Amino acid sequence: DIGYGDDQNVLFSKCGLSRLDNGPSAYEKVYDIFMSKIEPLASTVPYMVIPGNHERGCSILTDIGCPQSMRNFSAYRHRFRMPSIGDADSMFYSFDYRDVHIIGMNSESDYPGAPTTPETFIGGGAGGGFGNQTQWLELDLKRASSQRCRRGQAKNCYNWIIVYGHRPMYTSRRMIHDWPVGSQEVFRKFFEPIFHKHGVDVYIGAHVHNYERVGPILNYYKCTESEKLATQSGKVAHVYYNPLCTVHLTNGAAGNCEGIDPQGPVVSHVDSTVAKPGYALFKVFNATHLKWDYFSTSGNVAKLEESVWIIKTTNAVVREAGIEVMSIK
């Protein structure tokens, strides 16, 4: 959601009254300001991005008034170059970092029921046409899952499969932060079975303006081997041992002109919510231990809000045998 540039001429938006000017030129100015601000970081470390709903075009409402050069994720696609192939044009891609396979997916277009299609008129305008993301994802995950590390194997294999995208699959604000209406459930129902089939360890989303932790979960049912507590440097750490389903982490609290969202009403599946601006550090220690730290920020001060560990005591968790679940609906 780069600078909420597409909100700049929407009067009812919290972002619409403080922009530099009106019209498409403000959209480009917001992008340029954002790019200047991230340059010190993005010029020194890999800065990996994926599109959100505010990258679709110069107005969040419709294509009317937006030139062709500012429609269909054009500002995003002309500023970033991700390791995508074919027609994907940085909209979805994957890469490897040591024993971790990482996938950036597009939650906004190019799958059945996506929020944005070539026929969309109201709610952002038309978009998409970047290839068969579903087929690509299936093939990519199939390859990665077939190369899972086995006991004693240390090279040319994956211990972790991580996916990130803009929209979360689970959030306490499902019925509030959901446009088009039902889009989160469409996204979850379509991709969650694919994630589970191929053993995705973690999905990281955003979109909702807070931090939430959910998981391991499948179709709103908590998997067994769920959360346990441990002590780490005098603080409580949350630990998921041998999760049999994907763990979901949502962090849309990095800061925006609309403010931070409080916890929503749909909380039965949510393990934690932090309604404070902040950021997260994600670290893979080895083949069995992965850690996520969430820090809230106030001015120049960062405070550790929670630590989450995922620990796998075997290199390959057998998912094909089926799982036991308990209903939390």
Side-chain angles (χ1 to χ4, degrees):
D1 288 345
I2 294 177
Y4 276 67
D6 60 345
D7 267 9
Q8 43 74 34
N9 59 352
V10 181
L11 294 181
F12 60 78
S13 167
K14 295 179 182 179
C15 308
L17 298 177
S18 59
R19 290 304 187 189
L20 305 174
D21 54 22
N22 291 318
S25 61
Y27 179 66
E28 284 293 314
K29 287 180 180 178
V30 170
Y31 255 92
D32 290 343
I33 291 172
F34 180 86
M35 299 299 289
S36 296
K37 286 183 177 293
I38 68 167
E39 184 175 2
L41 174 65
S43 62
T44 57
V45 298
Y47 189 83
M48 311 304 291
V49 298
I50 206 70
N53 57 308
H54 289 278
E55 278 67 72
R56 196 223 48 84
C58 81
S59 172
I60 196 171
L61 298 178
T62 178
D63 277 333
I64 295 175
C66 292
Q68 288 292 335
S69 60
M70 297 184 192
R71 301 182 183 186
N72 199 14
F73 304 92
S74 293
Y76 164 86
R77 292 186 289 114
H78 283 81
R79 283 175 169 86
F80 297 104
R81 290 291 181 270
M82 297 296 106
S84 53
I85 59 174
D87 297 326
D89 208 3
S90 300
M91 298 295 285
F92 49 89
Y93 56 87
S94 68
F95 61 98
D96 299 333
Y97 184 75
R98 297 181 179 177
D99 63 339
V100 185
H101 185 64
I102 304 169
I103 297 173
M105 65 178 300
N106 173 16
S107 65
E108 304 308 303
S109 69
D110 295 293
Y111 63 90
T116 300
T117 71
E119 290 75 40
T120 301
F121 180 73
I122 297 296
F130 302 108
N132 191 331
Q133 179 178 206
T134 306
Q135 182 182 60
W136 170 85
L137 181 65
E138 281 270 20
L139 291 174
D140 190 88
L141 281 173
K142 181 179 180 180
R143 179 187 66 83
S145 61
S146 69
Q147 296 179 32
R148 282 281 194 177
C149 296
R150 305 302 173 188
R151 190 176 298 277
Q153 185 179 5
K155 295 183 179 180
N156 302 317
C157 61
Y158 303 118
N159 284 301
W160 302 94
I161 300 177
I162 312 296
V163 182
Y164 58 87
H166 181 67
R167 295 178 189 253
M169 292 188 179
Y170 294 94
T171 170
S172 66
R173 298 179 62 84
R174 185 181 72 195
M175 303 306 295
I176 304 171
H177 224 105
D178 200 13
W179 180 262
V181 175
S183 57
Q184 177 194 312
E185 277 297 277
V186 171
F187 177 60
R188 182 193 66 79
K189 288 180 179 179
F190 189 78
F191 285 110
E192 187 179 37
I194 299 175
F195 283 13
H196 186 67
K197 175 183 177 182
H198 296 291
V200 171
D201 294 293
V202 180
Y203 176 71
I204 304 171
H207 189 59
V208 179
H209 303 155
N210 61 25
Y211 161 72
E212 290 192 329
R213 169 171 51 89
V214 178
I217 196 168
L218 177 65
N219 195 26
Y220 286 95
Y221 289 87
K222 289 280 192 176
C223 303
T224 53
E225 296 291 335
S226 57
E227 179 183 1
K228 299 179 181 180
L229 299 178
T231 302
Q232 173 197 347
S233 301
K235 291 183 176 292
V236 173
H238 305 269
V239 184
Y240 296 118
Y241 284 100
N242 294 327
L244 297 174
C245 307
T246 303
V247 174
H248 294 256
L249 301 167
T250 298
N251 184 13
N256 63 83
C257 52
E258 291 187 340
I260 296 297
D261 292 324
Q263 186 180 64
V266 189
V267 297
S268 59
H269 58 283
V270 177
D271 293 337
S272 175
T273 301
V274 179
K276 301 176 184 179
Y279 65 94
L281 295 180
F282 191 88
K283 184 174 182 178
V284 175
F285 283 83
N286 49 41
T288 58
H289 286 65
L290 177 155
K291 186 187 181 189
W292 168 280
D293 288 327
Y294 182 74
F295 296 86
S296 64
T297 56
S298 178
N300 293 324
V301 179
K303 175 186 176 183
L304 178 62
E305 293 287 345
E306 74 166 18
S307 295
V308 182
W309 287 87
I310 299 177
I311 299 175
K312 298 191 292 186
T313 56
T314 58
N315 283 359
V317 176
V318 179
R319 299 167 187 250
E320 293 80 2
I323 60 171
E324 295 181 12
V325 296
M326 61 180 181
S327 174
I328 59 169
K329 275 193 171 181

PDB file of all heavy atoms in Angstrom, residues 55-75:
ATOM      1  N   GLU A  55      -2.044  -0.519  -4.975  1.00  0.00           N
ATOM      2  CA  GLU A  55      -1.120  -0.390  -6.109  1.00  0.00           C
ATOM      3  C   GLU A  55      -1.809  -0.525  -7.460  1.00  0.00           C
ATOM      4  O   GLU A  55      -1.171  -0.382  -8.488  1.00  0.00           O
ATOM      5  CB  GLU A  55      -0.019  -1.452  -6.012  1.00  0.00           C
ATOM      6  CG  GLU A  55       1.121  -1.096  -5.086  1.00  0.00           C
ATOM      7  CD  GLU A  55       0.706  -1.047  -3.642  1.00  0.00           C
ATOM      8  OE1 GLU A  55       0.455  -2.112  -3.048  1.00  0.00           O
ATOM      9  OE2 GLU A  55       0.609   0.081  -3.100  1.00  0.00           O
ATOM     10  N   ARG A  56      -3.117  -0.823  -7.461  1.00  0.00           N
ATOM     11  CA  ARG A  56      -3.776  -1.128  -8.718  1.00  0.00           C
ATOM     12  C   ARG A  56      -3.820   0.056  -9.687  1.00  0.00           C
ATOM     13  O   ARG A  56      -3.586  -0.095 -10.880  1.00  0.00           O
ATOM     14  CB  ARG A  56      -5.209  -1.630  -8.446  1.00  0.00           C
ATOM     15  CG  ARG A  56      -5.836  -2.335  -9.642  1.00  0.00           C
ATOM     16  CD  ARG A  56      -7.267  -1.909  -9.826  1.00  0.00           C
ATOM     17  NE  ARG A  56      -7.452  -0.499  -9.778  1.00  0.00           N
ATOM     18  CZ  ARG A  56      -7.271   0.320 -10.817  1.00  0.00           C
ATOM     19  NH1 ARG A  56      -6.879  -0.151 -11.965  1.00  0.00           N
ATOM     20  NH2 ARG A  56      -7.461   1.611 -10.685  1.00  0.00           N
ATOM     21  N   GLY A  57      -4.119   1.257  -9.201  1.00  0.00           N
ATOM     22  CA  GLY A  57      -4.190   2.410 -10.092  1.00  0.00           C
ATOM     23  C   GLY A  57      -4.212   3.705  -9.318  1.00  0.00           C
ATOM     24  O   GLY A  57      -4.073   3.724  -8.092  1.00  0.00           O
ATOM     25  N   CYS A  58      -4.400   4.810 -10.015  1.00  0.00           N
ATOM     26  CA  CYS A  58      -4.252   6.117  -9.374  1.00  0.00           C
ATOM     27  C   CYS A  58      -5.466   6.521  -8.555  1.00  0.00           C
ATOM     28  O   CYS A  58      -5.426   7.518  -7.835  1.00  0.00           O
ATOM     29  CB  CYS A  58      -3.929   7.189 -10.416  1.00  0.00           C
ATOM     30  SG  CYS A  58      -5.328   7.852 -11.331  1.00  0.00           S
ATOM     31  N   SER A  59      -6.572   5.772  -8.634  1.00  0.00           N
ATOM     32  CA  SER A  59      -7.737   6.035  -7.789  1.00  0.00           C
ATOM     33  C   SER A  59      -8.242   4.719  -7.219  1.00  0.00           C
ATOM     34  O   SER A  59      -8.344   3.725  -7.936  1.00  0.00           O
ATOM     35  CB  SER A  59      -8.860   6.709  -8.572  1.00  0.00           C
ATOM     36  OG  SER A  59     -10.038   6.798  -7.790  1.00  0.00           O
ATOM     37  N   ILE A  60      -8.575   4.727  -5.939  1.00  0.00           N
ATOM     38  CA  ILE A  60      -9.064   3.509  -5.313  1.00  0.00           C
ATOM     39  C   ILE A  60     -10.495   3.203  -5.724  1.00  0.00           C
ATOM     40  O   ILE A  60     -11.000   2.095  -5.531  1.00  0.00           O
ATOM     41  CB  ILE A  60      -8.966   3.613  -3.779  1.00  0.00           C
ATOM     42  CG1 ILE A  60      -9.103   2.222  -3.138  1.00  0.00           C
ATOM     43  CG2 ILE A  60      -9.986   4.594  -3.222  1.00  0.00           C
ATOM     44  CD1 ILE A  60      -8.809   2.197  -1.664  1.00  0.00           C
ATOM     45  N   LEU A  61     -11.189   4.164  -6.329  1.00  0.00           N
ATOM     46  CA  LEU A  61     -12.601   3.987  -6.649  1.00  0.00           C
ATOM     47  C   LEU A  61     -12.823   3.408  -8.042  1.00  0.00           C
ATOM     48  O   LEU A  61     -13.606   2.480  -8.217  1.00  0.00           O
ATOM     49  CB  LEU A  61     -13.337   5.330  -6.530  1.00  0.00           C
ATOM     50  CG  LEU A  61     -13.333   5.976  -5.137  1.00  0.00           C
ATOM     51  CD1 LEU A  61     -14.057   7.315  -5.173  1.00  0.00           C
ATOM     52  CD2 LEU A  61     -13.976   5.056  -4.121  1.00  0.00           C
ATOM     53  N   THR A  62     -12.147   3.966  -9.055  1.00  0.00           N
ATOM     54  CA  THR A  62     -12.419   3.579 -10.436  1.00  0.00           C
ATOM     55  C   THR A  62     -11.274   4.045 -11.327  1.00  0.00           C
ATOM     56  O   THR A  62     -10.415   4.837 -10.898  1.00  0.00           O
ATOM     57  CB  THR A  62     -13.736   4.202 -10.925  1.00  0.00           C
ATOM     58  OG1 THR A  62     -13.957   3.845 -12.292  1.00  0.00           O
ATOM     59  CG2 THR A  62     -13.707   5.721 -10.793  1.00  0.00           C
ATOM     60  N   ASP A  63     -11.246   3.564 -12.559  1.00  0.00           N
ATOM     61  CA  ASP A  63     -10.226   4.000 -13.521  1.00  0.00           C
ATOM     62  C   ASP A  63     -10.525   5.375 -14.114  1.00  0.00           C
ATOM     63  O   ASP A  63      -9.651   5.970 -14.756  1.00  0.00           O
ATOM     64  CB  ASP A  63     -10.122   2.992 -14.674  1.00  0.00           C
ATOM     65  CG  ASP A  63      -9.243   1.804 -14.318  1.00  0.00           C
ATOM     66  OD1 ASP A  63      -8.346   1.973 -13.468  1.00  0.00           O
ATOM     67  OD2 ASP A  63      -9.457   0.723 -14.883  1.00  0.00           O
ATOM     68  N   ILE A  64     -11.713   5.871 -13.935  1.00  0.00           N
ATOM     69  CA  ILE A  64     -12.088   7.158 -14.519  1.00  0.00           C
ATOM     70  C   ILE A  64     -11.142   8.244 -14.001  1.00  0.00           C
ATOM     71  O   ILE A  64     -10.945   8.401 -12.804  1.00  0.00           O
ATOM     72  CB  ILE A  64     -13.545   7.517 -14.174  1.00  0.00           C
ATOM     73  CG1 ILE A  64     -14.504   6.512 -14.818  1.00  0.00           C
ATOM     74  CG2 ILE A  64     -13.881   8.941 -14.631  1.00  0.00           C
ATOM     75  CD1 ILE A  64     -15.948   6.718 -14.431  1.00  0.00           C
ATOM     76  N   GLY A  65     -10.544   8.980 -14.930  1.00  0.00           N
ATOM     77  CA  GLY A  65      -9.597  10.031 -14.572  1.00  0.00           C
ATOM     78  C   GLY A  65      -8.163   9.577 -14.503  1.00  0.00           C
ATOM     79  O   GLY A  65      -7.254  10.405 -14.384  1.00  0.00           O
ATOM     80  N   CYS A  66      -7.923   8.268 -14.562  1.00  0.00           N
ATOM     81  CA  CYS A  66      -6.552   7.746 -14.529  1.00  0.00           C
ATOM     82  C   CYS A  66      -6.068   7.468 -15.950  1.00  0.00           C
ATOM     83  O   CYS A  66      -6.724   6.717 -16.685  1.00  0.00           O
ATOM     84  CB  CYS A  66      -6.481   6.450 -13.729  1.00  0.00           C
ATOM     85  SG  CYS A  66      -6.761   6.633 -11.969  1.00  0.00           S
ATOM     86  N   PRO A  67      -4.940   8.039 -16.353  1.00  0.00           N
ATOM     87  CA  PRO A  67      -4.407   7.707 -17.679  1.00  0.00           C
ATOM     88  C   PRO A  67      -3.982   6.247 -17.725  1.00  0.00           C
ATOM     89  O   PRO A  67      -3.773   5.607 -16.694  1.00  0.00           O
ATOM     90  CB  PRO A  67      -3.205   8.646 -17.808  1.00  0.00           C
ATOM     91  CG  PRO A  67      -2.836   9.008 -16.407  1.00  0.00           C
ATOM     92  CD  PRO A  67      -4.108   8.994 -15.625  1.00  0.00           C
ATOM     93  N   GLN A  68      -3.837   5.718 -18.917  1.00  0.00           N
ATOM     94  CA  GLN A  68      -3.462   4.315 -19.073  1.00  0.00           C
ATOM     95  C   GLN A  68      -2.160   3.985 -18.360  1.00  0.00           C
ATOM     96  O   GLN A  68      -1.978   2.882 -17.833  1.00  0.00           O
ATOM     97  CB  GLN A  68      -3.326   3.977 -20.565  1.00  0.00           C
ATOM     98  CG  GLN A  68      -4.646   3.906 -21.314  1.00  0.00           C
ATOM     99  CD  GLN A  68      -5.501   2.722 -20.871  1.00  0.00           C
ATOM    100  OE1 GLN A  68      -4.994   1.716 -20.382  1.00  0.00           O
ATOM    101  NE2 GLN A  68      -6.806   2.845 -21.049  1.00  0.00           N
ATOM    102  N   SER A  69      -1.253   4.944 -18.308  1.00  0.00           N
ATOM    103  CA  SER A  69       0.049   4.704 -17.689  1.00  0.00           C
ATOM    104  C   SER A  69      -0.031   4.566 -16.177  1.00  0.00           C
ATOM    105  O   SER A  69       0.971   4.223 -15.528  1.00  0.00           O
ATOM    106  CB  SER A  69       1.007   5.849 -18.030  1.00  0.00           C
ATOM    107  OG  SER A  69       0.497   7.085 -17.550  1.00  0.00           O
ATOM    108  N   MET A  70      -1.211   4.842 -15.593  1.00  0.00           N
ATOM    109  CA  MET A  70      -1.375   4.726 -14.150  1.00  0.00           C
ATOM    110  C   MET A  70      -2.457   3.723 -13.787  1.00  0.00           C
ATOM    111  O   MET A  70      -3.031   3.791 -12.701  1.00  0.00           O
ATOM    112  CB  MET A  70      -1.694   6.090 -13.533  1.00  0.00           C
ATOM    113  CG  MET A  70      -0.598   7.104 -13.689  1.00  0.00           C
ATOM    114  SD  MET A  70      -0.994   8.648 -12.856  1.00  0.00           S
ATOM    115  CE  MET A  70       0.295   9.706 -13.524  1.00  0.00           C
ATOM    116  N   ARG A  71      -2.742   2.786 -14.666  1.00  0.00           N
ATOM    117  CA  ARG A  71      -3.718   1.742 -14.400  1.00  0.00           C
ATOM    118  C   ARG A  71      -3.013   0.378 -14.309  1.00  0.00           C
ATOM    119  O   ARG A  71      -1.853   0.236 -14.697  1.00  0.00           O
ATOM    120  CB  ARG A  71      -4.772   1.700 -15.511  1.00  0.00           C
ATOM    121  CG  ARG A  71      -5.548   2.999 -15.695  1.00  0.00           C
ATOM    122  CD  ARG A  71      -6.596   2.858 -16.774  1.00  0.00           C
ATOM    123  NE  ARG A  71      -7.306   4.111 -17.009  1.00  0.00           N
ATOM    124  CZ  ARG A  71      -8.352   4.235 -17.820  1.00  0.00           C
ATOM    125  NH1 ARG A  71      -8.814   3.162 -18.473  1.00  0.00           N
ATOM    126  NH2 ARG A  71      -8.928   5.416 -17.988  1.00  0.00           N
ATOM    127  N   ASN A  72      -3.737  -0.596 -13.813  1.00  0.00           N
ATOM    128  CA  ASN A  72      -3.295  -1.996 -13.804  1.00  0.00           C
ATOM    129  C   ASN A  72      -1.887  -2.171 -13.225  1.00  0.00           C
ATOM    130  O   ASN A  72      -1.030  -2.797 -13.844  1.00  0.00           O
ATOM    131  CB  ASN A  72      -3.375  -2.596 -15.217  1.00  0.00           C
ATOM    132  CG  ASN A  72      -3.384  -4.117 -15.188  1.00  0.00           C
ATOM    133  OD1 ASN A  72      -3.588  -4.733 -14.149  1.00  0.00           O
ATOM    134  ND2 ASN A  72      -3.167  -4.730 -16.350  1.00  0.00           N
ATOM    135  N   PHE A  73      -1.668  -1.608 -12.032  1.00  0.00           N
ATOM    136  CA  PHE A  73      -0.420  -1.797 -11.289  1.00  0.00           C
ATOM    137  C   PHE A  73       0.806  -1.247 -12.011  1.00  0.00           C
ATOM    138  O   PHE A  73       1.932  -1.653 -11.722  1.00  0.00           O
ATOM    139  CB  PHE A  73      -0.206  -3.286 -10.974  1.00  0.00           C
ATOM    140  CG  PHE A  73      -1.332  -3.940 -10.223  1.00  0.00           C
ATOM    141  CD1 PHE A  73      -2.363  -4.582 -10.904  1.00  0.00           C
ATOM    142  CD2 PHE A  73      -1.383  -3.898  -8.838  1.00  0.00           C
ATOM    143  CE1 PHE A  73      -3.420  -5.181 -10.207  1.00  0.00           C
ATOM    144  CE2 PHE A  73      -2.429  -4.495  -8.148  1.00  0.00           C
ATOM    145  CZ  PHE A  73      -3.446  -5.134  -8.829  1.00  0.00           C
ATOM    146  N   SER A  74       0.607  -0.307 -12.947  1.00  0.00           N
ATOM    147  CA  SER A  74       1.723   0.176 -13.771  1.00  0.00           C
ATOM    148  C   SER A  74       2.805   0.871 -12.955  1.00  0.00           C
ATOM    149  O   SER A  74       4.003   0.666 -13.195  1.00  0.00           O
ATOM    150  CB  SER A  74       1.203   1.132 -14.856  1.00  0.00           C
ATOM    151  OG  SER A  74       0.400   0.445 -15.777  1.00  0.00           O
ATOM    152  N   ALA A  75       2.404   1.745 -12.003  1.00  0.00           N
ATOM    153  CA  ALA A  75       3.415   2.457 -11.204  1.00  0.00           C
ATOM    154  C   ALA A  75       4.268   1.472 -10.424  1.00  0.00           C
ATOM    155  O   ALA A  75       5.494   1.629 -10.316  1.00  0.00           O
ATOM    156  CB  ALA A  75       2.729   3.445 -10.256  1.00  0.00           C
TER     157      ALA A  75
END
